[in-house]
Amino acid sequence: MTAVNDVAGCLGCDLLAGRRELPGGIIHQTDHWVVQHVLGPLNLGTLIVAPRLHVVSVADLPIDAAEELGRVLRDASRMLEALCEPEQVYVCQWSHGESARKHLHFVVQPVAADVVRAYGGRRSEQLQAAMMVTDYEAPRKQVEAFSERARHWFRDDAG
Ligand SMILES: [Zn+2]
Protein backbone atom coordinates (compact mmCIF):
# COMPACT_ATOMS: atom_id res chain seq x y z
CA MET A 1 0.00 0.00 0.00
CA THR A 2 1.37 3.41 -0.95
CA ALA A 3 1.00 6.21 1.57
CA VAL A 4 -1.12 9.14 0.51
CA ASN A 5 1.77 11.50 1.16
CA ASP A 6 4.44 9.30 -0.45
CA VAL A 7 7.71 11.24 -0.90
CA ALA A 8 9.99 9.95 -3.67
CA GLY A 9 13.62 9.99 -2.57
CA CYS A 10 12.72 9.43 1.09
CA LEU A 11 14.20 6.06 2.11
CA GLY A 12 11.19 5.19 4.27
CA CYS A 13 8.70 6.03 1.53
CA ASP A 14 10.81 4.38 -1.18
CA LEU A 15 10.90 1.11 0.79
CA LEU A 16 7.16 1.21 1.48
CA ALA A 17 6.35 1.95 -2.16
CA GLY A 18 8.70 -0.76 -3.46
CA ARG A 19 10.98 1.68 -5.27
CA ARG A 20 13.86 0.28 -3.26
CA GLU A 21 14.49 -3.38 -2.53
CA LEU A 22 14.08 -4.52 1.07
CA PRO A 23 16.17 -7.61 1.92
CA GLY A 24 14.05 -9.96 4.04
CA GLY A 25 10.81 -8.17 3.13
CA ILE A 26 8.18 -6.82 5.49
CA ILE A 27 8.19 -8.67 8.82
CA HIS A 28 4.98 -7.31 10.32
CA GLN A 29 2.49 -4.56 9.58
CA THR A 30 -0.49 -2.93 11.18
CA ASP A 31 -2.90 -0.24 10.03
CA HIS A 32 -0.29 2.49 10.58
CA TRP A 33 3.11 0.82 11.06
CA VAL A 34 5.52 -1.41 9.17
CA VAL A 35 8.24 -3.54 10.78
CA GLN A 36 11.27 -4.51 8.72
CA HIS A 37 14.91 -5.49 9.19
CA VAL A 38 17.32 -2.58 9.32
CA LEU A 39 19.52 -1.63 6.35
CA GLY A 40 23.08 -0.69 7.24
CA PRO A 41 25.58 -1.30 10.00
CA LEU A 42 23.51 -2.45 13.01
CA ASN A 43 23.58 -6.10 14.09
CA LEU A 44 21.45 -8.92 12.74
CA GLY A 45 17.92 -8.79 14.14
CA THR A 46 17.76 -5.01 14.44
CA LEU A 47 14.36 -3.77 13.31
CA ILE A 48 12.97 -0.56 11.92
CA VAL A 49 9.41 0.38 12.91
CA ALA A 50 8.17 3.13 10.61
CA PRO A 51 4.78 4.75 9.94
CA ARG A 52 3.17 4.25 6.53
CA LEU A 53 2.71 8.01 6.35
CA HIS A 54 5.63 10.33 5.70
CA VAL A 55 5.61 11.77 9.22
CA VAL A 56 8.85 13.26 10.57
CA SER A 57 8.16 13.62 14.28
CA VAL A 58 6.24 11.82 16.99
CA ALA A 59 4.39 15.08 17.55
CA ASP A 60 2.96 14.90 14.02
CA LEU A 61 1.54 11.37 14.28
CA PRO A 62 -2.19 11.03 13.75
CA ILE A 63 -3.74 10.00 17.07
CA ASP A 64 -4.72 6.52 15.87
CA ALA A 65 -1.14 5.86 14.72
CA ALA A 66 0.16 7.10 18.07
CA GLU A 67 -2.23 4.81 19.93
CA GLU A 68 -1.10 1.80 17.89
CA LEU A 69 2.59 2.55 18.41
CA GLY A 70 2.95 1.14 21.92
CA ARG A 71 1.56 -2.21 20.90
CA VAL A 72 3.78 -2.42 17.82
CA LEU A 73 6.96 -1.58 19.77
CA ARG A 74 5.98 -4.06 22.49
CA ASP A 75 5.32 -6.86 20.01
CA ALA A 76 8.52 -6.20 18.05
CA SER A 77 10.46 -6.25 21.32
CA ARG A 78 8.78 -9.47 22.44
CA MET A 79 9.71 -11.12 19.16
CA LEU A 80 13.36 -10.12 19.61
CA GLU A 81 13.32 -11.38 23.22
CA ALA A 82 12.04 -14.72 21.94
CA LEU A 83 14.44 -15.09 19.01
CA CYS A 84 17.67 -13.39 20.09
CA GLU A 85 18.27 -13.97 23.82
CA PRO A 86 19.42 -10.35 24.20
CA GLU A 87 20.88 -8.76 27.31
CA GLN A 88 18.56 -5.87 26.45
CA VAL A 89 16.36 -4.70 23.58
CA TYR A 90 16.97 -1.06 22.75
CA VAL A 91 14.17 1.14 21.40
CA CYS A 92 15.22 4.52 20.10
CA GLN A 93 14.25 7.15 17.60
CA TRP A 94 16.53 9.73 15.94
CA SER A 95 15.31 10.45 12.36
CA HIS A 96 17.58 13.48 12.33
CA GLY A 97 18.95 14.32 8.88
CA GLU A 98 21.56 16.97 8.12
CA SER A 99 19.21 19.34 6.35
CA ALA A 100 15.79 18.13 7.46
CA ARG A 101 13.95 15.74 9.70
CA LYS A 102 13.70 12.26 8.20
CA HIS A 103 10.80 9.83 7.89
CA LEU A 104 10.12 8.77 11.47
CA HIS A 105 11.64 5.38 12.34
CA PHE A 106 12.15 3.59 15.61
CA VAL A 107 15.17 1.31 15.90
CA VAL A 108 14.39 -1.82 17.92
CA GLN A 109 17.73 -3.50 18.51
CA PRO A 110 18.49 -6.81 20.25
CA VAL A 111 21.85 -6.53 22.00
CA ALA A 112 23.28 -9.86 23.12
CA ALA A 113 26.52 -10.51 24.97
CA ASP A 114 28.46 -11.27 21.77
CA VAL A 115 27.62 -7.84 20.33
CA VAL A 116 28.76 -6.08 23.50
CA ARG A 117 31.96 -8.14 23.45
CA ALA A 118 32.64 -7.35 19.79
CA TYR A 119 32.49 -3.62 20.59
CA GLY A 120 34.80 -3.61 23.57
CA GLY A 121 32.11 -3.74 26.24
CA ARG A 122 30.26 -0.66 24.94
CA ARG A 123 26.56 -0.39 25.66
CA SER A 124 23.63 1.90 24.88
CA GLU A 125 24.27 5.02 22.75
CA GLN A 126 28.04 4.44 22.82
CA LEU A 127 27.56 1.00 21.31
CA GLN A 128 25.29 2.38 18.59
CA ALA A 129 27.70 5.20 17.79
CA ALA A 130 30.57 2.71 17.41
CA MET A 131 28.46 0.50 15.14
CA MET A 132 27.22 3.32 12.92
CA VAL A 133 30.72 4.31 11.76
CA THR A 134 31.50 0.83 10.41
CA ASP A 135 30.56 -0.46 6.97
CA TYR A 136 29.20 -3.69 8.41
CA GLU A 137 26.05 -5.04 6.86
CA ALA A 138 24.40 -8.24 8.10
CA PRO A 139 24.76 -10.96 5.43
CA ARG A 140 21.71 -10.97 3.19
CA LYS A 141 20.99 -14.68 3.64
CA GLN A 142 21.01 -14.23 7.41
CA VAL A 143 18.69 -11.23 7.14
CA GLU A 144 16.29 -13.23 4.97
CA ALA A 145 16.37 -16.23 7.34
CA PHE A 146 15.86 -14.01 10.38
CA SER A 147 12.99 -12.13 8.74
CA GLU A 148 11.28 -15.43 7.95
CA ARG A 149 11.60 -16.62 11.56
CA ALA A 150 10.31 -13.23 12.72
CA ARG A 151 7.25 -13.44 10.44
CA HIS A 152 6.51 -16.90 11.84
CA TRP A 153 6.68 -15.51 15.38
CA PHE A 154 4.17 -12.79 14.54
CA ARG A 155 1.90 -15.34 12.84
CA ASP A 156 2.08 -18.06 15.50
CA ASP A 157 3.25 -16.62 18.81
CA ALA A 158 2.26 -12.94 19.06
CA GLY A 159 -0.68 -12.16 21.27
ZN1 LIG B 1 8.92 9.18 3.84
Side-chain angles (χ1 to χ4, degrees):
M1 185 187 351
T2 301
V4 291
N5 61 347
D6 181 27
V7 176
C10 161
L11 175 59
C13 290
D14 285 351
L15 287 167
L16 287 169
R19 289 188 295 271
R20 181 165 168 158
E21 196 198 9
L22 176 63
I26 291 173
I27 289 173
H28 177 61
Q29 51 189 326
T30 65
D31 288 347
H32 300 281
W33 298 91
V34 176
V35 180
Q36 59 205 35
H37 196 276
V38 74
L39 301 173
L42 298 173
N43 53 295
L44 181 70
T46 300
L47 306 175
I48 295 295
V49 176
R52 294 183 189 281
L53 292 175
H54 183 84
V55 171
V56 299
S57 76
V58 172
D60 290 342
L61 284 171
I63 189 62
D64 45 353
E67 288 176 351
E68 207 178 54
L69 176 60
R71 177 67 184 260
V72 173
L73 292 175
R74 170 188 177 267
D75 288 349
S77 299
R78 282 169 55 97
M79 182 272 285
L80 294 177
E81 296 279 5
L83 267 54
C84 301
E85 299 180 22
E87 285 186 1
Q88 182 55 291
V89 176
Y90 300 172
V91 178
C92 56
Q93 195 288 117
W94 313 113
S95 307
H96 193 176
E98 280 180 35
S99 59
R101 295 180 179 190
K102 295 190 204 172
H103 194 127
L104 194 65
H105 59 286
F106 291 84
V107 173
V108 184
Q109 181 180 15
V111 178
D114 62 328
V115 172
V116 173
R117 239 189 338 268
Y119 285 86
R122 289 183 180 84
R123 288 180 165 78
S124 306
E125 78 286 358
Q126 293 179 16
L127 173 65
Q128 284 192 343
M131 292 180 131
M132 291 305 291
V133 296
T134 71
D135 55 7
Y136 173 80
E137 204 162 321
R140 186 187 177 104
K141 284 210 177 320
Q142 290 183 27
V143 171
E144 290 171 350
F146 179 86
S147 299
E148 192 60 27
R149 290 177 62 213
R151 273 189 291 275
H152 285 181
W153 186 91
F154 276 104
R155 193 190 62 207
D156 300 336
D157 299 318

